[in-house]
Amino acid sequence: MKKNKRYKLLIVFMSIILLCGCWDIKDINKRTIPLVLGISKEDGKEYKLTLQIPIPNKDSKISRIVTGKGETIASVLGQMRTNSEDAVDYSQIRLIVIQNNLAHNQQEFKGLIKFLMDSEEIPSRALVAITDENVENVLSNINDKLGVHASSIYDYFNKGAGWAPEIFSTPIWEVYRSPFLYTRDIAVPVVRSGKDTVLIFEGSDILKKGKIVERISPDEYQLINVFQNENKKGKGKIESLGFASIMITNSSIQNITSMKGNQPLVSSDLNLKIHILERKEGITDHMIQKELEKITEKRFYHILKQTQRSHTDIFGFGQQFHHLISYHELKDWRNEYYPKLRVDFEVHANME
C-alpha cells in the first residue's frame, strides 16, 4: 500500500515539472505582428510611433494602424504592448519610416539609431526610410489602396533585381555603422505616399557621420550603386533620351587607382549594354549611344563635384585606396584627399 502511494506521488511530482515547461508558451494566434514602424516627434517633445499591422485573413489584404505617444520610444512601445488585446511581437518589424524633422536632427537621429540597434526586440536587419510627409499618412495610405497586400510597404523595397534598379534598401545596422567609416558614406531612401500607388521613391538622403548633408535624385543614386560594385543595379534601367528610349540590359565598371604626390587618381570605364525600345525617325544607333554616354558622364561629374564640395564620399572611392594610403592617413580621406580626387570617367554604350 505504501509502495503504491510513493508511485502516485512520483507521478504527480513529474507531471508538475513537465507542465511547468509550458507555462510561458505564446500562441501565435494570440500575437500581433507589426511589419512597419513609423517614428516622428511632435513639437520637439513627444515621440509618436505608428505601427502598421496586417490583420490575418484569407487574402491578408487588410491592415490596421495603431499610434501611441510618449517621452521615450521604449515607453511608447511598452504602452502599445500593454494596451493591445494580443501580445505584440516587435521582432518581425521589417521597415522603419522616420519623419524628416526627426531624421534631420543629428543628435536625435543618432540617438534613435543607437536605440534601434541596441533594442533586443527590433531586428537590426529592418530597413530604414525617411519621409517628408506625416509618417502616419504614409502608413495609412496602404489601407486606401484597394487590392493592395498588407505587406506592400515592405515589399516595395524588395521587387527583385532588374525591376526597379533605382530603389535600394538600407538596414539599421548599416546606418549605425556609417559614422565609424573613414572612407565611405551611405544613403537612406526617401519615400512619400502615392496617389495611385502605395509609395513614391523621391531620392536619397546622404548621411555623413550620422548627419544628413544633402539629397540626390533616383537617377543619381543608381549611378552611385554601379560604382559601389553593385553592377546588377544598373540592369533594367529605362532611360529617355528625348529622341529615343532605351533599356540598360547590363553594366560593368572597371576602376584603376593611383597616386600622384598627394593627389588620388581614378581611371574609370563604365560599360553599358543597351536595348533600344523606341526612336524617332532618322535617329541612328550611333546617335543614341553618344547621347547616352554624354548624359551619364555629365550626371557623374555633377554628383562628384557636389559631393567633393561637401566632403561626402558617397561613391566609396576611399575604399579603393586602402593599399595606397596608410590607415592612419585614411582617417583624413574626406577632408584631405577626397576634395582633390581626380576621376577620368568614360562611358561606353554598346548595343545588345
Side-chain angles (χ1 to χ4, degrees):
M1 191 67 181
K2 286 184 178 178
K3 195 173 182 180
N4 286 338
K5 280 186 178 178
R6 285 198 199 101
Y7 280 126
K8 286 178 182 176
L9 284 171
L10 180 62
I11 290 170
V12 171
F13 180 70
M14 292 300 294
S15 299
I16 290 172
I17 292 176
L18 292 173
L19 286 173
C20 285
C22 303
W23 71 272
D24 61 345
I25 189 169
K26 293 177 181 175
D27 190 338
I28 193 167
N29 295 325
K30 296 294 181 184
R31 280 196 229 174
T32 293
I33 303 177
L35 288 182
V36 184
L37 169 63
I39 305 176
S40 60
K41 200 166 187 182
E42 296 193 334
D43 302 324
K45 297 177 181 175
E46 286 191 315
Y47 287 98
K48 183 177 181 181
L49 269 57
T50 307
L51 295 175
Q52 189 245 337
I53 305 170
I55 300 174
N57 68 359
K58 188 178 178 181
D59 298 325
S60 294
K61 289 182 178 177
I62 306 172
S63 65
R64 63 177 173 139
I65 302 300
V66 178
T67 60
K69 293 180 183 179
E71 291 185 356
T72 65
I73 296 172
S75 68
V76 185
L77 290 174
Q79 169 195 324
M80 288 174 151
R81 175 177 286 131
T82 302
N83 296 333
S84 173
E85 57 274 23
D86 295 322
V88 182
D89 184 355
Y90 297 118
S91 67
Q92 299 305 311
I93 287 177
R94 293 289 181 266
L95 174 66
I96 297 171
V97 183
I98 303 170
Q99 200 164 311
N100 64 350
N101 61 348
L102 181 55
H104 284 255
N105 183 320
Q106 184 182 12
Q107 189 175 355
E108 289 272 10
F109 188 64
K110 287 178 75 172
L112 171 61
I113 294 300
K114 186 176 186 311
F115 169 81
L116 295 172
M117 191 67 189
D118 292 342
S119 171
E120 295 181 356
E121 298 182 287
I122 299 172
S124 61
R125 66 178 181 280
L127 307 180
V128 180
I130 293 171
T131 183
D132 295 337
E133 205 177 343
N134 183 305
V135 74
E136 191 177 347
N137 292 345
V138 176
L139 270 63
S140 299
N141 189 47
I142 189 172
N143 292 333
D144 300 331
K145 302 290 178 289
L146 292 175
V148 173
H149 198 277
S151 62
S152 295
I153 292 183
Y154 170 68
D155 294 341
Y156 179 83
F157 292 92
N158 294 278
K159 294 182 176 67
W163 287 103
E166 304 95 331
I167 295 178
F168 64 102
S169 55
T170 306
I172 292 172
W173 67 264
E174 200 170 318
V175 179
Y176 177 79
R177 184 193 63 172
S178 64
F180 305 103
L181 298 177
Y182 297 130
T183 53
R184 182 185 172 186
D185 296 297
I186 68 162
V188 178
V190 180
V191 296
R192 66 176 171 84
S193 58
K195 184 179 178 183
D196 301 313
T197 58
V198 175
L199 291 178
I200 290 180
F201 181 52
E202 292 200 304
S204 314
D205 275 348
I206 307 301
L207 279 176
K208 177 185 175 184
K209 294 187 174 181
K211 180 182 180 181
I212 296 174
V213 292
E214 56 191 300
R215 181 170 294 183
I216 58 176
S217 70
D219 284 339
E220 291 173 327
Y221 193 78
Q222 186 204 1
L223 186 55
I224 290 167
N225 263 336
V226 173
F227 269 90
Q228 292 177 349
N229 207 23
E230 296 182 35
N231 295 335
K232 62 181 181 182
K233 296 289 186 182
K235 186 179 177 182
K237 169 66 177 171
I238 295 176
E239 284 274 5
S240 176
L241 305 177
F243 49 69
S245 295
I246 59 102
M247 174 182 282
I248 298 172
T249 58
N250 207 344
S251 65
S252 62
I253 193 163
Q254 185 174 27
N255 296 317
I256 299 174
T257 56
S258 60
M259 293 291 293
K260 185 177 181 181
N262 285 326
Q263 183 181 27
L265 307 172
V266 176
S267 175
S268 183
D269 289 281
L270 173 63
N271 291 290
L272 301 175
K273 283 192 176 180
I274 63 172
H275 173 68
I276 298 174
L277 301 174
E278 60 181 354
R279 71 176 91 187
K280 290 183 178 178
E281 191 175 349
I283 301 300
T284 65
D285 291 353
H286 181 73
M287 292 168 69
I288 292 173
Q289 288 170 279
K290 290 300 170 189
E291 182 66 13
L292 177 62
E293 291 170 356
K294 187 179 78 174
I295 287 176
T296 309
E297 289 173 6
K298 184 179 178 183
R299 187 178 294 162
F300 167 78
Y301 284 115
H302 171 73
I303 309 170
L304 180 66
K305 186 177 179 183
Q306 187 178 345
T307 55
Q308 282 184 311
R309 201 163 43 228
S310 62
H311 299 191
T312 309
D313 188 1
I314 187 62
F315 292 99
F317 278 122
Q319 299 205 321
Q320 300 180 34
F321 284 87
H322 283 198
H323 64 296
L324 295 173
I325 301 175
S326 70
Y327 177 77
H328 178 71
E329 291 175 317
L330 275 174
K331 291 180 180 178
D332 298 321
W333 169 259
R334 288 187 182 93
N335 296 324
E336 296 296 326
Y337 291 96
Y338 188 59
K340 295 187 291 188
L341 173 69
R342 196 184 83 198
V343 183
D344 294 322
F345 180 62
E346 288 190 19
V347 181
H348 312 281
N350 298 293
M351 307 302 292
E352 188 181 33

